[in-house]
Amino acid sequence: MPVFLDTTETGFDAAFEALLTAKREDSPDVDETVAGIIADVRARGDAALIELTAKFDRLALSQQTLAVSRAEVDAEIAKVSAEDRAALELAAQRIRAYHVRQMPEDAKWTDPEGAMLGWRWTPVSAAGLYVPGGLASYPSSVLMNAIPAKVAGVGRLAITVPTPDGVMNPLVLLAARIAGVDEIYRVGGAQAIAALAYGTETIAPVDKITGPGNAFVAAAKRRVFGKVGIDMIAGPSEILVIAEGDNDPDWVALDLLSQAEHDESAQSILITPDAAFGRAVAEAVEKRLPDLERGQIAGASWRDFGAVIVTRDLDEAAALSNRVAPEHLELCVADPEALSEKITHAGAIFLGQWTPEAIGDYVGGPNHVLPTARSARFSSGLSVMDFLKRTTLAKMTPESLRAIGPAAATLATSESLEAHGLSVLARLDKLNR
Amino acid sequence: MPVFLDTTETGFDAAFEALLTAKREDSPDVDETVAGIIADVRARGDAALIELTAKFDRLALSQQTLAVSRAEVDAEIAKVSAEDRAALELAAQRIRAYHVRQMPEDAKWTDPEGAMLGWRWTPVSAAGLYVPGGLASYPSSVLMNAIPAKVAGVGRLAITVPTPDGVMNPLVLLAARIAGVDEIYRVGGAQAIAALAYGTETIAPVDKITGPGNAFVAAAKRRVFGKVGIDMIAGPSEILVIAEGDNDPDWVALDLLSQAEHDESAQSILITPDAAFGRAVAEAVEKRLPDLERGQIAGASWRDFGAVIVTRDLDEAAALSNRVAPEHLELCVADPEALSEKITHAGAIFLGQWTPEAIGDYVGGPNHVLPTARSARFSSGLSVMDFLKRTTLAKMTPESLRAIGPAAATLATSESLEAHGLSVLARLDKLNR
């Protein structure tokens, strides 16, 4: 059974704080191993990749087979059913349509002093996307990472995906094809991250690496950060549902279970002003669990990290949700727009009872790569912005330099940076001559 | 003397590559020390801050004097000259005007299937700004970090600044006052970062930490990343000037020196299609060096990391600049706008001979916190976006769920995430009943 809390009971604050700070994930310390793998790939390039792939993925590769060929991709994606293909294409089209709207605009203006100011956005030249192998090899994640990159205008987009025992996932390859991925390499783990960051004979280095991965991949991303850009380091998934009592308990139970089934460390929280509804949802969860394919995982997550919290009203529910800063927030209430205005921290909001969070995982349009572990307090989900960077622009005229240059020289002097000041004063001298 | 390269000479590529990859900074490994300091502050709070401040800053504090009082700030800023105050206020006003334009817009639309989609931007609730002590305690950096935070709408903005031997910098305090900083604490080093991230009895924790610092501060920021957001880890400053032969060599020399004087690890590069001009600038640098207050630092930087590169034409200059991805790029050419269109990677561009980079450090308006060490390939300077985060929005109607829900269920099945699919199908069942 998950924890049941009531905001009117004494001890609530301490219990809620415990829920907020519960450590849900054991991060094994693999940093030393990862440092060794990165050094090896930097030193020996493809040879290291081939050796490590033989060791970890039981797969014999050569320089000729590191990349998945176009013909191989063609052969694999031919295996995908028409229904799966249509679903992927619908998802891709909707994700693209959403992300196109995120493209920021350049700006340029002249200020009252006559200075031209502005900025310009340009795409990252090359990006690498890590795709996990095995069970967590999700075609939807390929779309969610690759489409924003391509919308941003990234010229070269490479995927690395481990293929243990040589087994490829046709849906992942189809998603890559649909999203316009340029290169696919069958390597994984820290060695794939090292290859993307530093390059090998076969894999040219990229400027930005995104995508989820296990502890080794996460540690490798942390290590190469600075040499290349990385996206966030994702933690276990979370959902928080704020629901009034007139919802179908089974729907809300399934929404909670759709996070819980990801991972035993996932967290599902229901906040409701209706205690009886809270109990009904918990019962509905128990009723669904025995028949779920991933019931064991979902059950462990719900038992260890699940929570039902009864509040005085929706305002209190919103305030508690803001303290959680959940990755996914469902508002199953009569006026979700009004309640959403009270939400200050959340990765994604799903408004109303007809918007199960799973829609956002696949076909809604917004990105499903979202800030976990309360990081929605300070960060955002993946977007085209992750594949763009801003260059600021400034152009002085002699007149604008005359107007604002002296202040710059004054501040340079106050900071004991003489040459800074002289670079301005030399020009002002000329103007005043 | 700096290195002189000519793109037409054999061996240029190797020499340029060596310039790109030269390690300019020794990063001492202080990680273990920093880990200990953070653990100490987490365990003992204010007591640890007080003890560490006595040790490192030779300053005896109590819980009552950790914060700089309003009266103290008043007394210190009264010492600032009218000229310095006016210069700071002009800078603040121009930085604010620039950053206000960066505020992104919320979006909301209904798509052809009837789904409402969009996003909302919200500010980080609380931010902390680290300000170095001693020589590198720059009031301009306070403005550049604090103003974007306040423009973004950050509710609570705290500064930590070490005051070795109790000495405060009145200009830093005035900059904080002008920028609207809410709290100032006289602590520095890794202990200040730990206090901002985890909180103590006196210092409430923040959600985002920005600002420059030494190796201890940088290591501490890396360690608390995830618990809070951080800005980039800045390396030594860089400037690249592309100049045609009709510029004043002394102006360009001063622009190169204004980076070189920051730090012996700073880097100044001139790229010009005019070899004679390149030599003239190098001579002008030598002529200026003996009289500069920071001539020893600037001389070392220019000697060890400076470069003059002669190219066939401006196109080649732009291409080389893009490989450098400089923090600051000056275009001292007849048509800087046209050349700027060829620039794909740069933190900030200064267009034309009347725009010395130092203008951008103080009063131009754009931010002076910019990506160093070639990270302009994948990242941007500080902006209001660093203090905002995006929440995506989605609302399905029964009709839109009927239209796109089946595809979501199909994909959920293909990813073996049964509850995801059921959460959609349960709703579709109701619609079809």
Side-chain angles (χ1 to χ4, degrees):
Chain A
M1 289 295 282
V3 59
F4 277 77
L5 303 176
D6 187 316
T7 57
T8 60
E9 285 174 7
T10 54
F12 170 78
D13 278 337
F16 184 71
E17 192 62 29
L19 189 71
L20 278 186
T21 54
K23 193 169 163 56
R24 289 189 280 136
E25 206 181 21
D26 270 337
S27 317
D29 188 4
V30 298
D31 204 45
E32 219 170 299
T33 311
V34 164
I37 291 173
I38 294 174
D40 192 20
V41 173
R42 288 185 71 174
R44 298 195 299 129
D46 286 345
L49 288 185
I50 290 166
E51 203 175 295
L52 291 161
T53 303
K55 180 175 165 190
F56 293 119
D57 297 337
R58 301 163 302 280
L59 177 64
L61 292 179
S62 68
Q63 281 193 314
Q64 283 65 47
T65 55
L66 272 171
V68 181
S69 72
R70 204 171 168 81
E72 283 176 285
V73 176
D74 289 342
E76 287 292 324
I77 67 182
K79 300 175 187 167
V80 175
S81 73
E83 190 190 357
D84 282 352
R85 176 188 285 265
L88 265 186
E89 280 170 352
L90 176 73
Q93 171 237 309
R94 292 186 58 86
I95 296 164
R96 197 174 290 116
Y98 183 92
H99 287 78
V100 162
R101 291 189 181 243
Q102 289 181 328
M103 282 298 284
E105 286 187 13
D106 294 349
K108 208 177 225 186
W109 66 93
T110 302
D111 77 3
E113 282 74 27
M116 187 284 287
L117 297 170
W119 62 76
R120 259 177 51 207
W121 292 94
T122 46
V124 166
S125 294
L129 161 56
Y130 188 87
V131 180
L135 255 189
S137 181
Y138 295 140
S140 58
S141 290
V142 174
L143 298 182
M144 291 289 182
N145 280 271
I147 290 173
K150 281 295 175 180
V151 168
V154 170
R156 179 181 152 247
L157 179 57
I159 276 186
T160 59
V161 54
T163 56
D165 301 306
V167 179
M168 296 194 275
N169 180 338
L171 279 165
V172 161
L173 297 177
L174 178 58
R177 174 68 58 84
I178 290 172
V181 168
D182 301 290
E183 305 162 16
I184 304 174
Y185 301 100
R186 56 189 119 216
V187 290
Q191 58 271 27
I193 301 298
L196 289 171
Y198 291 99
T200 69
E201 300 90 319
T202 300
I203 305 180
V206 302
D207 302 304
K208 175 106 188 188
I209 300 176
T210 70
N214 63 18
F216 292 86
V217 171
K221 281 169 69 180
R222 273 188 193 274
R223 280 209 160 251
V224 301
F225 173 54
K227 164 70 180 163
V228 299
I230 63 167
D231 61 346
M232 66 200 86
I233 307 282
S237 197
E238 310 142 6
I239 191 170
L240 192 153
V241 180
I242 300 180
E244 289 172 320
D246 57 354
N247 281 273
D248 184 329
D250 184 51
W251 294 10
V252 172
L254 285 168
D255 297 349
L256 296 170
L257 286 168
S258 74
Q259 291 309 302
E261 75 174 342
H262 267 295
D263 192 331
E264 294 186 359
S265 318
Q267 183 165 50
S268 304
I269 299 175
L270 169 65
I271 305 187
T272 177
D274 185 326
F277 178 75
R279 284 190 299 272
V281 170
E283 277 161 28
V285 167
E286 298 303 330
K287 211 167 138 192
R288 282 284 187 177
L289 273 173
D291 293 331
L292 276 188
E293 278 169 35
R294 298 170 67 92
Q296 203 132 13
I297 293 169
S301 156
W302 178 242
R303 181 186 66 232
D304 294 343
F305 304 113
V308 175
I309 303 175
V310 179
T311 56
R312 292 176 182 84
D313 52 33
L314 290 180
D315 277 0
E316 194 175 47
L320 291 180
S321 175
N322 288 336
R323 286 176 65 189
V324 174
E327 181 189 13
H328 305 101
L329 174 61
E330 267 187 34
L331 304 180
C332 298
V333 298
D335 189 351
E337 283 83 359
L339 188 57
S340 78
E341 295 295 322
K342 295 176 181 154
I343 300 302
T344 53
H345 310 307
I349 303 181
F350 303 87
L351 296 103
Q353 61 172 340
W354 296 101
T355 319
E357 183 278 329
I359 283 292
D361 284 334
Y362 297 114
V363 295
N367 211 287
H368 79 196
V369 180
L370 293 165
T372 57
R374 308 188 60 212
S375 63
R377 291 175 296 121
F378 54 81
S379 63
S380 311
L382 198 72
S383 76
V384 297
M385 312 289 276
D386 290 282
F387 300 98
L388 294 167
K389 58 264 181 345
R390 189 194 326 93
T391 299
T392 60
L393 304 172
K395 183 183 186 183
M396 298 294 129
T397 55
E399 295 67 40
S400 55
L401 190 67
R402 208 197 301 263
I404 67 172
T410 297
L411 291 171
T413 303
S414 80
E415 295 186 354
S416 302
L417 294 171
E418 189 189 9
H420 282 66
L422 289 173
S423 73
V424 175
L425 294 175
R427 287 162 167 97
L428 292 179
D429 274 352
K430 166 104 174 233
L431 286 178
N432 295 332
R433 266 206 304 268
Chain B
M1 292 291 283
V3 60
F4 277 76
L5 303 177
D6 187 316
T7 57
T8 61
E9 284 173 7
T10 53
F12 170 77
D13 279 338
F16 183 71
E17 192 61 31
L19 189 71
L20 279 186
T21 53
K23 193 169 162 56
R24 290 189 279 136
E25 206 181 20
D26 272 335
S27 318
D29 189 4
V30 298
D31 204 46
E32 220 169 300
T33 311
V34 164
I37 290 173
I38 293 174
D40 192 19
V41 173
R42 288 184 70 174
R44 297 196 298 130
D46 286 346
L49 288 184
I50 290 166
E51 202 174 297
L52 291 162
T53 303
K55 179 175 167 189
F56 293 119
D57 296 337
R58 301 163 302 279
L59 178 63
L61 293 179
S62 68
Q63 280 194 316
Q64 284 65 46
T65 55
L66 272 171
V68 182
S69 72
R70 202 167 171 83
E72 283 177 286
V73 176
D74 289 341
E76 287 292 323
I77 67 182
K79 300 175 188 167
V80 175
S81 74
E83 190 190 357
D84 281 352
R85 177 189 283 266
L88 265 186
E89 278 170 354
L90 177 72
Q93 171 237 311
R94 292 186 57 87
I95 296 164
R96 198 174 289 117
Y98 183 92
H99 286 79
V100 162
R101 291 188 181 244
Q102 289 181 329
M103 284 296 284
E105 288 187 13
D106 294 349
K108 208 177 226 188
W109 66 93
T110 302
D111 76 4
E113 282 74 28
M116 187 285 286
L117 298 170
W119 61 76
R120 258 177 52 206
W121 292 95
T122 46
V124 165
S125 295
L129 162 56
Y130 188 87
V131 180
L135 255 188
S137 181
Y138 296 140
S140 57
S141 290
V142 173
L143 298 181
M144 292 289 183
N145 280 271
I147 291 174
K150 280 295 173 180
V151 167
V154 170
R156 177 180 155 249
L157 179 57
I159 276 187
T160 59
V161 54
T163 57
D165 302 304
V167 179
M168 294 195 275
N169 180 338
L171 278 165
V172 161
L173 297 177
L174 179 57
R177 173 69 57 87
I178 290 172
V181 168
D182 302 289
E183 304 162 14
I184 303 174
Y185 301 100
R186 55 189 123 216
V187 290
Q191 58 272 28
I193 301 297
L196 289 172
Y198 291 99
T200 69
E201 300 90 320
T202 300
I203 304 179
V206 302
D207 302 304
K208 174 107 188 186
I209 300 176
T210 71
N214 63 18
F216 292 87
V217 171
K221 280 169 68 179
R222 272 186 193 276
R223 279 208 162 252
V224 301
F225 173 54
K227 165 72 181 161
V228 299
I230 63 167
D231 61 345
M232 66 199 86
I233 306 283
S237 197
E238 311 142 4
I239 191 171
L240 192 152
V241 181
I242 300 179
E244 288 172 320
D246 58 354
N247 280 275
D248 185 329
D250 185 51
W251 293 9
V252 172
L254 286 168
D255 297 348
L256 296 171
L257 286 167
S258 73
Q259 290 309 301
E261 75 176 342
H262 268 294
D263 191 331
E264 295 187 359
S265 319
Q267 183 166 51
S268 304
I269 299 175
L270 169 65
I271 305 187
T272 177
D274 186 326
F277 178 74
R279 284 189 300 273
V281 170
E283 277 161 27
V285 167
E286 298 303 331
K287 212 167 140 191
R288 282 284 188 179
L289 273 173
D291 294 331
L292 277 187
E293 278 168 36
R294 297 169 68 93
Q296 203 132 13
I297 292 169
S301 156
W302 179 240
R303 182 186 67 234
D304 294 343
F305 304 114
V308 176
I309 303 174
V310 179
T311 56
R312 292 177 182 84
D313 52 32
L314 290 180
D315 277 1
E316 196 176 46
L320 290 180
S321 175
N322 287 336
R323 286 176 64 190
V324 174
E327 181 189 13
H328 305 101
L329 173 61
E330 266 187 36
L331 303 179
C332 298
V333 298
D335 189 349
E337 282 83 359
L339 189 57
S340 78
E341 295 295 323
K342 294 176 181 152
I343 300 301
T344 52
H345 309 308
I349 303 181
F350 303 87
L351 296 105
Q353 61 173 340
W354 296 101
T355 319
E357 183 279 327
I359 283 292
D361 284 334
Y362 297 113
V363 295
N367 211 287
H368 80 194
V369 180
L370 292 165
T372 57
R374 309 188 60 215
S375 62
R377 291 176 297 121
F378 54 81
S379 63
S380 311
L382 198 72
S383 77
V384 296
M385 311 291 276
D386 290 283
F387 300 97
L388 295 166
K389 61 263 180 346
R390 188 195 326 95
T391 299
T392 60
L393 305 172
K395 182 184 186 183
M396 298 294 129
T397 55
E399 294 67 40
S400 56
L401 190 67
R402 206 197 302 262
I404 68 172
T410 297
L411 291 172
T413 302
S414 80
E415 294 185 353
S416 303
L417 293 172
E418 188 189 9
H420 283 66
L422 289 173
S423 73
V424 175
L425 293 175
R427 287 161 166 100
L428 291 179
D429 273 353
K430 165 106 174 229
L431 286 179
N432 295 330
R433 267 206 305 265

